[in-house]
Amino acid sequence: MNMSIALSLHVLFVVIWVGGMFFAYVALRPAAAMNLDPPQRLSLWSAVFTRFFPWVWLSIVVVLGTGYWMLFGPFGGFANAPVFIHIMHTLALIMTLIFFHVFFAPYKRLRQAVESKDWLKGAKALGQMRILIAANLTIGLITVLIATAGKFFI
Ligand code: HEM
């Protein structure tokens, strides 16, 4: 691997992860809320997440893998890295932990609820996912700003 491959893969999978959250939150969420009753809406979201989340897992592997490769390779480790890299790294770990929580807690409950047609439980789980994904989208967008603008300031 070299820096051009690592950086392009890094940014490509950032686009997939953060762009996917942006579409889900900004476009699909209000459209689904406006047009669908709970049974269809919750089934739709469960199916949407089932297709999107494998890409998030892959994004985590690629973004963190290439990020650490660049950090410990060309950037010479934590001690030599500029501040914006430390901030990017910290925010990336927070995003990853939030995703793990979403995946193993409310998403699991949403799937169970849809399977047993418990729409009240499903709506509660989806509401929890909404808050956590809003947080991750915000952190993701801030991370992109810090990663790109950061090197000109710090
Ligand atoms: C373990 C976590 C991460 C590490 C160690 C890491 C490390 C790095 C490094 C070393 C660079 C190259 C910087 C340069 O060429 O000056 C980079 C670039 C970049 N990173 Fe990360 N990163 C991580 C996670 C993330 C995340 C989660 C995002 C966004 C949500 C992100 C967004 C970016 C972007 C947009 C660039 C391109 C900056 C540019 O070339 O202008 N990174 N990252």
Side-chain angles (χ1 to χ4, degrees):
M1 187 136 75
N2 61 35
M3 190 65 191
S4 70
I5 295 173
L7 185 57
S8 49
L9 281 176
H10 190 76
V11 176
L12 182 64
F13 279 86
V14 164
V15 169
I16 290 172
W17 186 5
V18 180
M21 289 194 290
F22 186 88
F23 169 75
Y25 200 88
V26 172
L28 187 55
R29 192 183 86 86
M34 212 185 290
N35 289 291
L36 301 174
D37 291 329
Q40 290 83 31
R41 192 164 52 86
L42 296 165
S43 306
L44 171 77
W45 277 115
S46 180
V48 165
F49 291 133
T50 299
R51 281 159 188 81
F52 180 56
F53 283 171
W55 289 98
V56 177
W57 281 105
L58 185 62
S59 299
I60 288 173
V61 170
V62 174
V63 172
L64 268 64
T66 52
Y68 285 124
W69 183 87
M70 292 187 285
L71 178 59
F72 291 108
F75 280 78
F78 280 110
N80 294 304
V83 175
F84 79 93
I85 302 280
H86 291 286
I87 300 173
M88 171 167 26
H89 172 236
T90 307
L91 295 176
L93 294 184
I94 295 169
M95 286 177 71
T96 303
L97 290 179
I98 291 176
F99 173 71
F100 286 170
H101 181 72
V102 166
F103 189 87
F104 291 109
Y107 169 55
K108 190 176 157 207
R109 288 196 289 274
L110 175 67
R111 272 179 308 160
Q112 287 167 346
V114 168
E115 208 159 299
S116 58
K117 301 194 190 315
D118 184 344
W119 308 122
L120 214 63
K121 178 179 162 185
K124 203 172 153 216
L126 187 63
Q128 288 160 346
M129 292 180 80
R130 182 188 73 74
I131 294 166
L132 294 167
I133 293 173
N136 247 7
L137 172 59
T138 307
I139 300 169
L141 293 173
I142 291 170
T143 310
V144 169
L145 293 178
I146 291 171
T148 49
K151 69 180 91 174
F152 299 100
F153 294 102
I154 18 184

mmCIF file of all heavy atoms in Angstrom, residues 92-133:
data_model
loop_
_atom_site.group_PDB
_atom_site.id
_atom_site.type_symbol
_atom_site.label_atom_id
_atom_site.label_comp_id
_atom_site.label_asym_id
_atom_site.label_seq_id
_atom_site.Cartn_x
_atom_site.Cartn_y
_atom_site.Cartn_z
ATOM 1 N N ALA A 92 -13.376 9.569 15.272
ATOM 2 C CA ALA A 92 -13.628 8.294 14.579
ATOM 3 C C ALA A 92 -13.947 7.184 15.582
ATOM 4 O O ALA A 92 -14.828 6.356 15.345
ATOM 5 C CB ALA A 92 -12.413 7.902 13.738
ATOM 6 N N LEU A 93 -13.234 7.179 16.704
ATOM 7 C CA LEU A 93 -13.500 6.134 17.706
ATOM 8 C C LEU A 93 -14.875 6.324 18.334
ATOM 9 O O LEU A 93 -15.604 5.354 18.573
ATOM 10 C CB LEU A 93 -12.403 6.130 18.781
ATOM 11 C CG LEU A 93 -11.004 5.724 18.290
ATOM 12 C CD1 LEU A 93 -10.028 5.658 19.463
ATOM 13 C CD2 LEU A 93 -11.026 4.377 17.559
ATOM 14 N N ILE A 94 -15.249 7.593 18.563
ATOM 15 C CA ILE A 94 -16.592 7.856 19.117
ATOM 16 C C ILE A 94 -17.668 7.394 18.128
ATOM 17 O O ILE A 94 -18.629 6.722 18.501
ATOM 18 C CB ILE A 94 -16.753 9.355 19.464
ATOM 19 C CG1 ILE A 94 -15.798 9.751 20.596
ATOM 20 C CG2 ILE A 94 -18.204 9.689 19.847
ATOM 21 C CD1 ILE A 94 -15.685 11.247 20.848
ATOM 22 N N MET A 95 -17.479 7.732 16.831
ATOM 23 C CA MET A 95 -18.454 7.295 15.804
ATOM 24 C C MET A 95 -18.573 5.778 15.771
ATOM 25 O O MET A 95 -19.662 5.225 15.630
ATOM 26 C CB MET A 95 -18.012 7.777 14.411
ATOM 27 C CG MET A 95 -18.197 9.250 14.164
ATOM 28 S SD MET A 95 -17.548 9.717 12.529
ATOM 29 C CE MET A 95 -18.768 8.967 11.443
ATOM 30 N N THR A 96 -17.438 5.108 15.899
ATOM 31 C CA THR A 96 -17.439 3.641 15.843
ATOM 32 C C THR A 96 -18.188 3.055 17.038
ATOM 33 O O THR A 96 -19.012 2.152 16.875
ATOM 34 C CB THR A 96 -15.981 3.123 15.810
ATOM 35 O OG1 THR A 96 -15.335 3.715 14.677
ATOM 36 C CG2 THR A 96 -15.919 1.619 15.697
ATOM 37 N N LEU A 97 -17.942 3.608 18.225
ATOM 38 C CA LEU A 97 -18.638 3.099 19.420
ATOM 39 C C LEU A 97 -20.139 3.346 19.330
ATOM 40 O O LEU A 97 -20.942 2.481 19.694
ATOM 41 C CB LEU A 97 -18.070 3.763 20.685
ATOM 42 C CG LEU A 97 -16.646 3.331 21.058
ATOM 43 C CD1 LEU A 97 -16.179 4.079 22.307
ATOM 44 C CD2 LEU A 97 -16.563 1.819 21.287
ATOM 45 N N ILE A 98 -20.518 4.531 18.835
ATOM 46 C CA ILE A 98 -21.958 4.823 18.677
ATOM 47 C C ILE A 98 -22.576 3.827 17.694
ATOM 48 O O ILE A 98 -23.658 3.283 17.936
ATOM 49 C CB ILE A 98 -22.183 6.282 18.217
ATOM 50 C CG1 ILE A 98 -21.807 7.259 19.340
ATOM 51 C CG2 ILE A 98 -23.645 6.507 17.788
ATOM 52 C CD1 ILE A 98 -21.896 8.732 18.977
ATOM 53 N N PHE A 99 -21.868 3.540 16.583
ATOM 54 C CA PHE A 99 -22.422 2.577 15.632
ATOM 55 C C PHE A 99 -22.563 1.191 16.271
ATOM 56 O O PHE A 99 -23.582 0.514 16.087
ATOM 57 C CB PHE A 99 -21.571 2.478 14.357
ATOM 58 C CG PHE A 99 -22.050 1.364 13.463
ATOM 59 C CD1 PHE A 99 -23.256 1.479 12.777
ATOM 60 C CD2 PHE A 99 -21.343 0.175 13.351
ATOM 61 C CE1 PHE A 99 -23.740 0.435 11.992
ATOM 62 C CE2 PHE A 99 -21.814 -0.877 12.567
ATOM 63 C CZ PHE A 99 -23.014 -0.742 11.889
ATOM 64 N N PHE A 100 -21.542 0.760 17.021
ATOM 65 C CA PHE A 100 -21.634 -0.553 17.678
ATOM 66 C C PHE A 100 -22.889 -0.606 18.551
ATOM 67 O O PHE A 100 -23.631 -1.584 18.556
ATOM 68 C CB PHE A 100 -20.408 -0.828 18.554
ATOM 69 C CG PHE A 100 -19.164 -1.156 17.766
ATOM 70 C CD1 PHE A 100 -17.926 -1.222 18.405
ATOM 71 C CD2 PHE A 100 -19.218 -1.401 16.401
ATOM 72 C CE1 PHE A 100 -16.774 -1.519 17.685
ATOM 73 C CE2 PHE A 100 -18.060 -1.697 15.676
ATOM 74 C CZ PHE A 100 -16.839 -1.753 16.322
ATOM 75 N N HIS A 101 -23.117 0.476 19.301
ATOM 76 C CA HIS A 101 -24.296 0.505 20.168
ATOM 77 C C HIS A 101 -25.588 0.425 19.342
ATOM 78 O O HIS A 101 -26.479 -0.371 19.646
ATOM 79 C CB HIS A 101 -24.282 1.742 21.061
ATOM 80 C CG HIS A 101 -25.462 1.786 21.972
ATOM 81 N ND1 HIS A 101 -25.594 0.936 23.050
ATOM 82 C CD2 HIS A 101 -26.595 2.519 21.925
ATOM 83 C CE1 HIS A 101 -26.762 1.165 23.624
ATOM 84 N NE2 HIS A 101 -27.374 2.120 22.968
ATOM 85 N N VAL A 102 -25.658 1.250 18.280
ATOM 86 C CA VAL A 102 -26.849 1.215 17.413
ATOM 87 C C VAL A 102 -27.083 -0.207 16.901
ATOM 88 O O VAL A 102 -28.202 -0.727 16.930
ATOM 89 C CB VAL A 102 -26.671 2.179 16.201
ATOM 90 C CG1 VAL A 102 -27.713 1.908 15.121
ATOM 91 C CG2 VAL A 102 -26.753 3.622 16.654
ATOM 92 N N PHE A 103 -26.010 -0.826 16.425
ATOM 93 C CA PHE A 103 -26.137 -2.137 15.787
ATOM 94 C C PHE A 103 -26.601 -3.213 16.764
ATOM 95 O O PHE A 103 -27.497 -4.003 16.460
ATOM 96 C CB PHE A 103 -24.794 -2.543 15.162
ATOM 97 C CG PHE A 103 -24.910 -3.770 14.301
ATOM 98 C CD1 PHE A 103 -25.257 -3.658 12.957
ATOM 99 C CD2 PHE A 103 -24.694 -5.039 14.819
ATOM 100 C CE1 PHE A 103 -25.390 -4.784 12.151
ATOM 101 C CE2 PHE A 103 -24.826 -6.173 14.025
ATOM 102 C CZ PHE A 103 -25.172 -6.046 12.689
ATOM 103 N N PHE A 104 -25.976 -3.213 17.958
ATOM 104 C CA PHE A 104 -26.249 -4.332 18.874
ATOM 105 C C PHE A 104 -27.420 -4.071 19.820
ATOM 106 O O PHE A 104 -27.924 -5.004 20.428
ATOM 107 C CB PHE A 104 -24.989 -4.678 19.670
ATOM 108 C CG PHE A 104 -23.925 -5.287 18.809
ATOM 109 C CD1 PHE A 104 -22.769 -4.574 18.503
ATOM 110 C CD2 PHE A 104 -24.093 -6.555 18.256
ATOM 111 C CE1 PHE A 104 -21.792 -5.132 17.683
ATOM 112 C CE2 PHE A 104 -23.122 -7.113 17.431
ATOM 113 C CZ PHE A 104 -21.964 -6.401 17.147
ATOM 114 N N ALA A 105 -27.867 -2.818 19.964
ATOM 115 C CA ALA A 105 -29.004 -2.567 20.866
ATOM 116 C C ALA A 105 -30.289 -2.197 20.108
ATOM 117 O O ALA A 105 -31.095 -3.080 19.817
ATOM 118 C CB ALA A 105 -28.603 -1.566 21.938
ATOM 119 N N PRO A 106 -30.515 -0.933 19.715
ATOM 120 C CA PRO A 106 -31.825 -0.619 19.126
ATOM 121 C C PRO A 106 -32.102 -1.296 17.778
ATOM 122 O O PRO A 106 -33.256 -1.647 17.501
ATOM 123 C CB PRO A 106 -31.819 0.913 18.971
ATOM 124 C CG PRO A 106 -30.431 1.351 19.124
ATOM 125 C CD PRO A 106 -29.717 0.309 19.913
ATOM 126 N N TYR A 107 -31.065 -1.501 16.954
ATOM 127 C CA TYR A 107 -31.307 -2.152 15.650
ATOM 128 C C TYR A 107 -31.768 -3.599 15.856
ATOM 129 O O TYR A 107 -32.677 -4.085 15.171
ATOM 130 C CB TYR A 107 -30.035 -2.089 14.801
ATOM 131 C CG TYR A 107 -30.056 -2.934 13.551
ATOM 132 C CD1 TYR A 107 -31.072 -2.800 12.599
ATOM 133 C CD2 TYR A 107 -29.053 -3.872 13.296
ATOM 134 C CE1 TYR A 107 -31.082 -3.575 11.441
ATOM 135 C CE2 TYR A 107 -29.053 -4.647 12.147
ATOM 136 C CZ TYR A 107 -30.074 -4.498 11.227
ATOM 137 O OH TYR A 107 -30.081 -5.270 10.092
ATOM 138 N N LYS A 108 -31.168 -4.268 16.822
ATOM 139 C CA LYS A 108 -31.581 -5.635 17.136
ATOM 140 C C LYS A 108 -33.050 -5.642 17.594
ATOM 141 O O LYS A 108 -33.853 -6.473 17.160
ATOM 142 C CB LYS A 108 -30.664 -6.188 18.238
ATOM 143 C CG LYS A 108 -30.828 -7.646 18.497
ATOM 144 C CD LYS A 108 -29.822 -8.117 19.535
ATOM 145 C CE LYS A 108 -30.315 -9.379 20.199
ATOM 146 N NZ LYS A 108 -29.798 -9.556 21.540
ATOM 147 N N ARG A 109 -33.383 -4.653 18.458
ATOM 148 C CA ARG A 109 -34.770 -4.575 18.943
ATOM 149 C C ARG A 109 -35.741 -4.243 17.811
ATOM 150 O O ARG A 109 -36.855 -4.756 17.769
ATOM 151 C CB ARG A 109 -34.875 -3.524 20.058
ATOM 152 C CG ARG A 109 -34.227 -3.960 21.362
ATOM 153 C CD ARG A 109 -34.689 -3.092 22.524
ATOM 154 N NE ARG A 109 -34.152 -1.747 22.481
ATOM 155 C CZ ARG A 109 -32.970 -1.385 22.985
ATOM 156 N NH1 ARG A 109 -32.209 -2.289 23.572
ATOM 157 N NH2 ARG A 109 -32.555 -0.133 22.909
ATOM 158 N N LEU A 110 -35.305 -3.382 16.876
ATOM 159 C CA LEU A 110 -36.171 -3.036 15.737
ATOM 160 C C LEU A 110 -36.471 -4.279 14.903
ATOM 161 O O LEU A 110 -37.625 -4.531 14.537
ATOM 162 C CB LEU A 110 -35.491 -1.957 14.864
ATOM 163 C CG LEU A 110 -36.240 -1.592 13.572
ATOM 164 C CD1 LEU A 110 -37.574 -0.901 13.866
ATOM 165 C CD2 LEU A 110 -35.391 -0.685 12.674
ATOM 166 N N ARG A 111 -35.448 -5.078 14.622
ATOM 167 C CA ARG A 111 -35.664 -6.295 13.817
ATOM 168 C C ARG A 111 -36.608 -7.262 14.529
ATOM 169 O O ARG A 111 -37.519 -7.817 13.917
ATOM 170 C CB ARG A 111 -34.330 -6.997 13.538
ATOM 171 C CG ARG A 111 -33.635 -6.475 12.281
ATOM 172 C CD ARG A 111 -32.337 -7.182 12.072
ATOM 173 N NE ARG A 111 -31.539 -7.115 13.289
ATOM 174 C CZ ARG A 111 -30.528 -7.924 13.581
ATOM 175 N NH1 ARG A 111 -30.211 -8.898 12.778
ATOM 176 N NH2 ARG A 111 -29.841 -7.775 14.705
ATOM 177 N N GLN A 112 -36.382 -7.434 15.834
ATOM 178 C CA GLN A 112 -37.258 -8.334 16.604
ATOM 179 C C GLN A 112 -38.688 -7.822 16.574
ATOM 180 O O GLN A 112 -39.642 -8.582 16.403
ATOM 181 C CB GLN A 112 -36.785 -8.417 18.056
ATOM 182 C CG GLN A 112 -35.513 -9.220 18.240
ATOM 183 C CD GLN A 112 -34.901 -9.027 19.624
ATOM 184 O OE1 GLN A 112 -35.280 -8.101 20.342
ATOM 185 N NE2 GLN A 112 -33.962 -9.884 19.990
ATOM 186 N N ALA A 113 -38.841 -6.496 16.737
ATOM 187 C CA ALA A 113 -40.187 -5.899 16.778
ATOM 188 C C ALA A 113 -40.903 -6.075 15.452
ATOM 189 O O ALA A 113 -42.093 -6.399 15.414
ATOM 190 C CB ALA A 113 -40.075 -4.417 17.135
ATOM 191 N N VAL A 114 -40.184 -5.877 14.342
ATOM 192 C CA VAL A 114 -40.809 -6.024 13.029
ATOM 193 C C VAL A 114 -41.220 -7.482 12.817
ATOM 194 O O VAL A 114 -42.308 -7.770 12.319
ATOM 195 C CB VAL A 114 -39.847 -5.534 11.903
ATOM 196 C CG1 VAL A 114 -40.348 -5.943 10.521
ATOM 197 C CG2 VAL A 114 -39.679 -4.014 11.977
ATOM 198 N N GLU A 115 -40.357 -8.389 13.245
ATOM 199 C CA GLU A 115 -40.654 -9.813 13.089
ATOM 200 C C GLU A 115 -41.915 -10.208 13.863
ATOM 201 O O GLU A 115 -42.753 -10.955 13.367
ATOM 202 C CB GLU A 115 -39.468 -10.634 13.580
ATOM 203 C CG GLU A 115 -39.348 -11.969 12.885
ATOM 204 C CD GLU A 115 -37.931 -12.513 13.017
ATOM 205 O OE1 GLU A 115 -36.997 -11.857 12.530
ATOM 206 O OE2 GLU A 115 -37.791 -13.562 13.646
ATOM 207 N N SER A 116 -42.046 -9.661 15.087
ATOM 208 C CA SER A 116 -43.214 -10.026 15.903
ATOM 209 C C SER A 116 -44.355 -9.012 15.761
ATOM 210 O O SER A 116 -45.332 -9.063 16.507
ATOM 211 C CB SER A 116 -42.793 -10.158 17.370
ATOM 212 O OG SER A 116 -42.235 -8.944 17.811
ATOM 213 N N LYS A 117 -44.224 -8.115 14.807
ATOM 214 C CA LYS A 117 -45.235 -7.074 14.520
ATOM 215 C C LYS A 117 -45.621 -6.270 15.759
ATOM 216 O O LYS A 117 -46.780 -5.898 15.955
ATOM 217 C CB LYS A 117 -46.486 -7.709 13.877
ATOM 218 C CG LYS A 117 -46.191 -8.444 12.577
ATOM 219 C CD LYS A 117 -47.480 -8.749 11.834
ATOM 220 C CE LYS A 117 -47.296 -9.699 10.644
ATOM 221 N NZ LYS A 117 -46.180 -9.419 9.773
ATOM 222 N N ASP A 118 -44.631 -6.023 16.599
ATOM 223 C CA ASP A 118 -44.831 -5.197 17.794
ATOM 224 C C ASP A 118 -44.432 -3.756 17.428
ATOM 225 O O ASP A 118 -43.293 -3.328 17.633
ATOM 226 C CB ASP A 118 -43.950 -5.751 18.934
ATOM 227 C CG ASP A 118 -44.176 -5.002 20.243
ATOM 228 O OD1 ASP A 118 -44.757 -3.903 20.207
ATOM 229 O OD2 ASP A 118 -43.756 -5.520 21.297
ATOM 230 N N TRP A 119 -45.398 -3.013 16.865
ATOM 231 C CA TRP A 119 -45.071 -1.707 16.273
ATOM 232 C C TRP A 119 -44.713 -0.659 17.319
ATOM 233 O O TRP A 119 -43.967 0.281 17.034
ATOM 234 C CB TRP A 119 -46.212 -1.225 15.370
ATOM 235 C CG TRP A 119 -46.611 -2.267 14.357
ATOM 236 C CD1 TRP A 119 -47.842 -2.821 14.201
ATOM 237 C CD2 TRP A 119 -45.751 -2.911 13.387
ATOM 238 N NE1 TRP A 119 -47.809 -3.761 13.193
ATOM 239 C CE2 TRP A 119 -46.549 -3.843 12.682
ATOM 240 C CE3 TRP A 119 -44.400 -2.804 13.056
ATOM 241 C CZ2 TRP A 119 -46.035 -4.654 11.670
ATOM 242 C CZ3 TRP A 119 -43.890 -3.607 12.041
ATOM 243 C CH2 TRP A 119 -44.702 -4.514 11.365
ATOM 244 N N LEU A 120 -45.225 -0.828 18.533
ATOM 245 C CA LEU A 120 -44.896 0.122 19.605
ATOM 246 C C LEU A 120 -43.418 -0.008 19.979
ATOM 247 O O LEU A 120 -42.686 0.984 20.086
ATOM 248 C CB LEU A 120 -45.783 -0.169 20.807
ATOM 249 C CG LEU A 120 -46.199 1.047 21.641
ATOM 250 C CD1 LEU A 120 -47.041 1.992 20.782
ATOM 251 C CD2 LEU A 120 -46.985 0.614 22.874
ATOM 252 N N LYS A 121 -43.002 -1.259 20.178
ATOM 253 C CA LYS A 121 -41.599 -1.535 20.494
ATOM 254 C C LYS A 121 -40.697 -1.091 19.327
ATOM 255 O O LYS A 121 -39.619 -0.514 19.540
ATOM 256 C CB LYS A 121 -41.425 -3.041 20.752
ATOM 257 C CG LYS A 121 -40.015 -3.480 21.056
ATOM 258 C CD LYS A 121 -39.963 -4.987 21.324
ATOM 259 C CE LYS A 121 -38.545 -5.508 21.195
ATOM 260 N NZ LYS A 121 -38.442 -6.955 21.327
ATOM 261 N N GLY A 122 -41.161 -1.325 18.098
ATOM 262 C CA GLY A 122 -40.379 -0.949 16.918
ATOM 263 C C GLY A 122 -40.197 0.554 16.835
ATOM 264 O O GLY A 122 -39.102 1.049 16.547
ATOM 265 N N ALA A 123 -41.283 1.295 17.110
ATOM 266 C CA ALA A 123 -41.207 2.759 17.027
ATOM 267 C C ALA A 123 -40.239 3.306 18.074
ATOM 268 O O ALA A 123 -39.505 4.265 17.825
ATOM 269 C CB ALA A 123 -42.601 3.351 17.202
ATOM 270 N N LYS A 124 -40.236 2.675 19.240
ATOM 271 C CA LYS A 124 -39.331 3.116 20.306
ATOM 272 C C LYS A 124 -37.864 2.868 19.893
ATOM 273 O O LYS A 124 -36.997 3.743 20.054
ATOM 274 C CB LYS A 124 -39.660 2.331 21.588
ATOM 275 C CG LYS A 124 -39.226 3.045 22.831
ATOM 276 C CD LYS A 124 -39.746 2.346 24.077
ATOM 277 C CE LYS A 124 -38.796 2.648 25.216
ATOM 278 N NZ LYS A 124 -38.625 1.537 26.130
ATOM 279 N N ALA A 125 -37.616 1.687 19.334
ATOM 280 C CA ALA A 125 -36.247 1.356 18.901
ATOM 281 C C ALA A 125 -35.800 2.292 17.777
ATOM 282 O O ALA A 125 -34.672 2.801 17.784
ATOM 283 C CB ALA A 125 -36.190 -0.104 18.426
ATOM 284 N N LEU A 126 -36.699 2.552 16.825
ATOM 285 C CA LEU A 126 -36.336 3.441 15.708
ATOM 286 C C LEU A 126 -36.058 4.860 16.217
ATOM 287 O O LEU A 126 -35.136 5.523 15.731
ATOM 288 C CB LEU A 126 -37.455 3.451 14.659
ATOM 289 C CG LEU A 126 -37.134 4.195 13.360
ATOM 290 C CD1 LEU A 126 -35.966 3.538 12.626
ATOM 291 C CD2 LEU A 126 -38.350 4.277 12.436
ATOM 292 N N GLY A 127 -36.833 5.288 17.215
ATOM 293 C CA GLY A 127 -36.612 6.618 17.805
ATOM 294 C C GLY A 127 -35.233 6.720 18.446
ATOM 295 O O GLY A 127 -34.561 7.754 18.327
ATOM 296 N N GLN A 128 -34.798 5.629 19.092
ATOM 297 C CA GLN A 128 -33.451 5.629 19.691
ATOM 298 C C GLN A 128 -32.380 5.661 18.597
ATOM 299 O O GLN A 128 -31.371 6.374 18.712
ATOM 300 C CB GLN A 128 -33.271 4.383 20.566
ATOM 301 C CG GLN A 128 -34.077 4.459 21.859
ATOM 302 C CD GLN A 128 -34.306 3.093 22.496
ATOM 303 O OE1 GLN A 128 -34.094 2.054 21.873
ATOM 304 N NE2 GLN A 128 -34.756 3.092 23.735
ATOM 305 N N MET A 129 -32.626 4.912 17.535
ATOM 306 C CA MET A 129 -31.657 4.910 16.424
ATOM 307 C C MET A 129 -31.558 6.292 15.800
ATOM 308 O O MET A 129 -30.476 6.749 15.432
ATOM 309 C CB MET A 129 -32.078 3.891 15.350
ATOM 310 C CG MET A 129 -31.976 2.466 15.818
ATOM 311 S SD MET A 129 -32.487 1.292 14.549
ATOM 312 C CE MET A 129 -31.029 1.203 13.526
ATOM 313 N N ARG A 130 -32.689 6.971 15.674
ATOM 314 C CA ARG A 130 -32.708 8.306 15.065
ATOM 315 C C ARG A 130 -31.780 9.260 15.809
ATOM 316 O O ARG A 130 -30.972 9.962 15.203
ATOM 317 C CB ARG A 130 -34.136 8.853 15.069
ATOM 318 C CG ARG A 130 -34.246 10.203 14.407
ATOM 319 C CD ARG A 130 -35.615 10.810 14.601
ATOM 320 N NE ARG A 130 -35.849 11.299 15.958
ATOM 321 C CZ ARG A 130 -35.310 12.400 16.459
ATOM 322 N NH1 ARG A 130 -34.504 13.122 15.738
ATOM 323 N NH2 ARG A 130 -35.578 12.770 17.691
ATOM 324 N N ILE A 131 -31.865 9.245 17.147
ATOM 325 C CA ILE A 131 -31.041 10.159 17.946
ATOM 326 C C ILE A 131 -29.556 9.830 17.782
ATOM 327 O O ILE A 131 -28.715 10.711 17.579
ATOM 328 C CB ILE A 131 -31.464 10.077 19.433
ATOM 329 C CG1 ILE A 131 -32.883 10.623 19.587
ATOM 330 C CG2 ILE A 131 -30.496 10.837 20.325
ATOM 331 C CD1 ILE A 131 -33.526 10.290 20.920
ATOM 332 N N LEU A 132 -29.231 8.541 17.842
ATOM 333 C CA LEU A 132 -27.824 8.136 17.747
ATOM 334 C C LEU A 132 -27.255 8.385 16.351
ATOM 335 O O LEU A 132 -26.097 8.792 16.205
ATOM 336 C CB LEU A 132 -27.687 6.654 18.130
ATOM 337 C CG LEU A 132 -28.005 6.363 19.600
ATOM 338 C CD1 LEU A 132 -28.170 4.868 19.831
ATOM 339 C CD2 LEU A 132 -26.902 6.911 20.497
ATOM 340 N N ILE A 133 -28.094 8.177 15.325
ATOM 341 C CA ILE A 133 -27.606 8.407 13.958
ATOM 342 C C ILE A 133 -27.475 9.913 13.698
ATOM 343 O O ILE A 133 -26.548 10.356 13.009
ATOM 344 C CB ILE A 133 -28.490 7.677 12.924
ATOM 345 C CG1 ILE A 133 -28.324 6.158 13.108
ATOM 346 C CG2 ILE A 133 -28.104 8.077 11.495
ATOM 347 C CD1 ILE A 133 -29.257 5.288 12.283
#
